Amino acid sequence: MDSTQAHLLTQLKQRDPNALAALFDQYANPVHRLALRLLHDSAQADDVVQNTFLALIEHIDHFEGRARIHTWLYRVAYNDAMMRLRSRPGAALEDDDGPEMLPAALIDWKGRPEDVLAQTEAVSEMDRAIAALSPRLRAVFTLRDVDELSTHETAEALGLSESAVKVSLHRARLALREQLSAYFIERRGNHQEA
């Protein structure tokens, strides 16, 4: 554990409200983003954030520092969100993310102008594509590519092996590329017709 983490942990165990506020300011939005991606329900995502930080307050004395505090927060949030998903009527969550997916259509991604992705329509399409992923793939993609956690931190947060994180991230990226390739091919066709 590095000195910054050790100092923060000491402050949290001493119930320093400034340390808790700083941690909340830094991680409430990323925890909410993860929960929202999994649950597709803002009110439930808010509840996950609240439960995550309440768990931190209740259990900080038992936190040994083997994991980083933020990966522990993600783990608590992920478990809470998955419990909520499992309790939904008709919920069928699979641990397996399915067979390896290969894109049906290929598109040159390196030449795409960045302003196309910034357009509201493209952002909405990206959100729809992420929402179509399994909960595990959504969680891995969100933590690795959106929140930029390392493979090790993502594995700790989700209770997976590092190799499982790598495979899940690869599958998530392929699925997203497949869905977004279809979108851009259709978009390109519409522009050529106009």
Side-chain angles (χ1 to χ4, degrees):
M1 176 178 348
D2 65 29
S3 61
T4 305
Q5 171 96 359
H7 181 67
L8 177 60
L9 187 56
T10 300
Q11 289 178 309
L12 290 170
K13 286 185 176 188
Q14 293 172 350
R15 306 290 193 240
D16 181 343
N18 293 328
L20 182 60
L23 194 65
F24 184 85
D25 287 345
Q26 186 171 5
Y27 291 106
N29 285 338
V31 165
H32 186 270
R33 181 173 41 247
L34 173 64
L36 187 59
R37 291 264 188 209
L38 291 170
L39 298 168
H40 305 291
D41 182 322
S42 186
Q44 283 199 1
D46 290 342
D47 291 344
V48 168
V49 172
Q50 180 179 352
N51 289 346
T52 299
F53 283 92
L54 284 174
L56 175 70
I57 292 167
E58 291 173 10
H59 301 289
I60 193 64
D61 291 330
H62 304 291
F63 185 80
E64 297 174 4
R66 286 181 284 177
R68 297 188 54 81
I69 292 173
H70 69 276
T71 58
W72 184 86
L73 290 171
Y74 283 125
R75 176 63 182 232
V76 171
Y78 176 74
N79 287 341
D80 188 336
M82 293 304 290
M83 180 189 66
R84 290 167 188 271
L85 281 175
R86 287 183 189 101
S87 69
R88 289 181 177 171
L93 301 178
E94 298 178 19
D95 289 336
D96 183 25
D97 297 315
E100 185 74 23
M101 297 169 279
L102 295 175
L106 297 176
I107 190 165
D108 180 9
W109 286 88
K110 50 188 173 181
R112 302 302 309 165
E114 289 184 22
D115 61 315
V116 172
L117 284 175
Q119 293 177 355
T120 304
E121 183 181 323
V123 171
S124 294
E125 188 63 29
M126 179 67 159
D127 287 342
R128 277 193 292 279
I130 292 170
L133 297 172
S134 71
R136 183 165 100 182
L137 294 183
R138 280 195 310 266
V140 168
F141 178 80
T142 299
L143 293 179
R144 282 287 289 124
D145 283 359
V146 178
D147 292 337
E148 299 179 343
L149 267 63
S150 69
T151 300
H152 178 75
E153 290 171 325
T154 302
E156 278 185 356
L158 301 179
L160 301 171
S161 69
E162 289 186 36
S163 60
V165 167
K166 290 176 184 177
V167 168
S168 294
L169 182 61
H170 177 69
R171 288 180 175 175
R173 288 173 176 166
L174 281 176
L176 293 173
R177 182 170 286 182
E178 171 73 16
Q179 289 190 22
L180 294 173
S181 290
Y183 166 76
F184 282 116
I185 287 171
E186 179 182 318
R187 184 174 171 77
R188 184 176 14 176
N190 290 342
H191 283 300
Q192 289 175 350
E193 292 173 7

